[in-house]
């Protein structure tokens, strides 16, 4: 499942051709993806100008001049690609071939910018929905999301308050989208390693009895910021399905400290430990038992 850096990378790739442009043609080439398309899905999009393209957690959000918002989720295998009339350059070193299976091209937006934006999703776990802007606060998909981890409001004090009474593991708390939105398994593993905190640690240990942040909380928030920003700069992590809108691969996976490195030496200077893997809440957790406490 793409996490925040992958979705933000896609947003930045779509922004130049989508923001400020009109949707001349909208096509839904099948009746559903993960959920059925709304009966008026195409009608509410066609002819609308995209006034802004944002992101909330793992969702892309296109603001329309009509007052509607197009909510888009990549699911497990969804990807956007941008096709321009003059886009004849050969794929580079980190590019997928252009000849991707077009049978999975399920949605197309033809933009006044001259670009075609195609959503391809072999597994059809992605979804799109048009929502009135003034109804977003009540939208079930969005209303319970926690703070953005790269937003100004997310700091050690906020994280400590959210975890103050939690007896769950620290990793489970960070994966809870109500605590912090957009984090997934990869970047939680990486942030916990960089902050030298065990994924088994009780979440409440981020807070004092008075609800103030501990040094653990401060280190963790700093590590989350660093990991996410580094991943965005690298175009995200391409493990299975993620690709940028140009077809280019993300390559943050080459900077992983622990994720998918079971049995390898810990990269913490002077540690000398070995990366281990165990199953936690149904997900693989990678960590160094020696330096993560």
């Amino acid at each position: 499942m793409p996490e925040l850096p992958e979705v933000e990378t896609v947003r930045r790739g779509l922004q130049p051709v989508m923001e400020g442009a009109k949707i001349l043609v909208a096509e839904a080439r099948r009746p559903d993806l993960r959920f059925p398309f709304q009966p008026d899905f195409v009608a509410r999009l066609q002819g609308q100008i995209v006034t802004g393209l944002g992101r909330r957690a793992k969702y892309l959000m296109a603001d329309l001049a009509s007052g509607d918002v197009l909510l888009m989720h990549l699911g497990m295998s969804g990807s956007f690609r941008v096709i321009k009339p003059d886009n004849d350059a050969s794929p580079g070193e980190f590019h997928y071939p252009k000849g991707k299976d077009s049978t999975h091209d399920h949605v197309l937006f033809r933009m006044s910018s001259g670009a075609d934006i195609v959503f391809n999703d072999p597994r059809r776990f992605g979804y799109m929905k048009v929502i009135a802007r003034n109804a977003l606060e009540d939208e079930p998909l969005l209303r319970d999301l926690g703070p953005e981890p790269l937003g100004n409001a997310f700091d050690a004090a906020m994280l400590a308050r959210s975890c103050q009474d939690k007896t769950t593991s620290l990793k489970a708390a960070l994966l809870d989208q109500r605590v912090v939105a957009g984090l997934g398994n990869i970047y939680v593993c990486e942030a916990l390693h960089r902050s030298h905190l065990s994924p088994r640690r009780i979440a409440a240990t981020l807070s004092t009895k008075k609800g103030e942040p501990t040094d653990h909380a401060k280190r963790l928030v700093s590590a989350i910021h660093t990991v996410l920003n580094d991943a965005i700069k690298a175009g995200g992590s391409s493990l299975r399905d993620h690709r940028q809108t140009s077809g280019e691969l993300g390559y943050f996976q080459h900077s992983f400290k622990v994720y998918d490195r079971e049995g390898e030496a810990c990269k913490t200077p002077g540690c000398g430990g070995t990366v281990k893997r165990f199953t936690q809440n149904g997900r693989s957790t990678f960590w160094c038992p020696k330096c993560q406490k």
Side-chain angles (χ1 to χ4, degrees), residues 79-81 96-103 105 118 120 243:
S79 65
F80 286 94
R81 70 181 187 276
Y96 283 87
K98 284 185 179 179
K100 199 169 53 166
D101 190 350
S102 61
T103 59
D105 289 348
V118 180
N120 183 284
R243 66 207 68 186

Side-chain angles (χ1 to χ4, degrees), residues 228-289:
L228 293 180
N229 282 316
D230 287 351
I232 290 170
K233 289 177 183 176
S237 302
S238 293
L239 295 179
R240 298 181 68 179
D241 299 301
H242 169 65
R243 66 207 68 186
Q244 301 180 54
T245 56
S246 62
E248 188 175 359
L249 296 172
Y251 49 93
F252 186 70
Q253 65 272 14
H254 302 302
S255 300
F256 287 165
K257 303 293 186 184
V258 287
Y259 190 83
D260 206 28
R261 297 189 63 248
E262 182 183 11
E264 298 181 30
C266 176
K267 290 189 175 184
T268 299
C271 173
T274 301
V275 176
K276 304 291 185 182
R277 183 188 72 83
F278 68 97
T279 301
Q280 190 176 25
N281 301 111
R283 307 294 299 276
S284 290
T285 293
F286 297 89
W287 71 311
C288 174

Side-chain angles (χ1 to χ4, degrees), residues 127-146:
Y127 47 93
M128 297 186 187
K129 184 177 183 180
V130 182
I131 307 164
R133 164 59 69 177
N134 58 16
L136 283 180
E137 289 187 3
D138 298 321
E139 171 54 44
L141 296 170
L142 301 174
R143 65 188 176 199
D144 294 327
L145 290 176

Side-chain angles (χ1 to χ4, degrees), residues 19-292:
E19 199 168 80
K22 180 183 288 188
I23 303 174
L24 301 177
V25 176
E27 292 182 11
R29 296 176 173 175
R30 55 174 299 112
D32 58 7
L33 291 172
R34 184 174 181 179
F35 310 118
F37 287 110
Q38 297 150 294
D40 59 353
F41 177 79
V42 168
R44 291 172 72 176
L45 296 176
Q46 200 151 284
Q48 290 299 318
I49 294 174
V50 178
T51 58
L53 185 63
R55 178 192 53 76
R56 178 72 171 104
K58 302 176 186 180
Y59 293 94
L60 292 166
M61 301 175 67
D63 282 288
L64 306 177
S66 63
D68 282 336
V69 176
L70 171 60
L71 192 71
M72 299 171 280
H73 195 284
L74 297 173
M76 295 180 68
S77 63
S79 65
F80 286 94
R81 70 181 187 276
V82 175
I83 304 171
K84 299 179 182 178
D86 58 351
N87 190 14
D88 295 325
S90 298
E93 180 182 359
F94 292 105
H95 286 63
Y96 283 87
K98 284 185 179 179
K100 199 169 53 166
D101 190 350
S102 61
T103 59
H104 302 300
D105 289 348
H106 301 312
V107 181
L108 177 140
F109 304 124
R110 179 153 294 153
M111 308 301 297
S112 63
S113 60
D116 282 358
I117 299 171
V118 180
F119 182 68
N120 183 284
D121 190 1
R123 302 183 195 181
R124 299 201 305 275
F125 268 65
Y127 47 93
M128 297 186 187
K129 184 177 183 180
V130 182
I131 307 164
R133 164 59 69 177
N134 58 16
L136 283 180
E137 289 187 3
D138 298 321
E139 171 54 44
L141 296 170
L142 301 174
R143 65 188 176 199
D144 294 327
L145 290 176
E148 288 288 321
L150 293 178
N152 293 332
F154 181 72
D155 58 14
M158 173 175 279
L159 183 58
R161 287 193 300 271
S162 297
C163 294
Q164 185 175 4
D165 299 317
K166 288 189 177 297
T167 57
T168 59
S169 70
L170 186 49
K171 186 187 178 191
L174 293 175
L175 288 175
D176 185 343
Q177 298 299 295
R178 296 168 296 181
V179 173
V180 55
L183 290 181
N185 197 40
I186 292 175
Y187 298 107
V188 168
C189 287
E190 289 294 303
L192 287 172
H193 178 263
R194 295 184 190 209
S195 57
H196 305 299
L197 296 176
S198 169
R200 290 189 168 110
R201 173 181 281 275
I202 299 301
T205 60
L206 296 186
S207 173
T208 67
K209 291 182 179 179
K210 295 181 179 180
E212 296 174 351
T214 63
D215 287 340
H216 301 320
K218 295 173 185 177
R219 292 206 316 264
L220 181 54
V221 167
S222 178
I224 289 171
H225 288 161
T226 299
V227 167
L228 293 180
N229 282 316
D230 287 351
I232 290 170
K233 289 177 183 176
S237 302
S238 293
L239 295 179
R240 298 181 68 179
D241 299 301
H242 169 65
R243 66 207 68 186
Q244 301 180 54
T245 56
S246 62
E248 188 175 359
L249 296 172
Y251 49 93
F252 186 70
Q253 65 272 14
H254 302 302
S255 300
F256 287 165
K257 303 293 186 184
V258 287
Y259 190 83
D260 206 28
R261 297 189 63 248
E262 182 183 11
E264 298 181 30
C266 176
K267 290 189 175 184
T268 299
C271 173
T274 301
V275 176
K276 304 291 185 182
R277 183 188 72 83
F278 68 97
T279 301
Q280 190 176 25
N281 301 111
R283 307 294 299 276
S284 290
T285 293
F286 297 89
W287 71 311
C288 174
K290 186 171 181 181
C291 69
Q292 289 180 250

Side-chain angles (χ1 to χ4, degrees), residues 8-31:
E8 177 61 20
T9 299
V10 171
R11 187 195 71 81
R12 295 182 183 189
L14 292 176
Q15 190 174 28
V17 296
M18 201 169 192
E19 199 168 80
K22 180 183 288 188
I23 303 174
L24 301 177
V25 176
E27 292 182 11
R29 296 176 173 175
R30 55 174 299 112

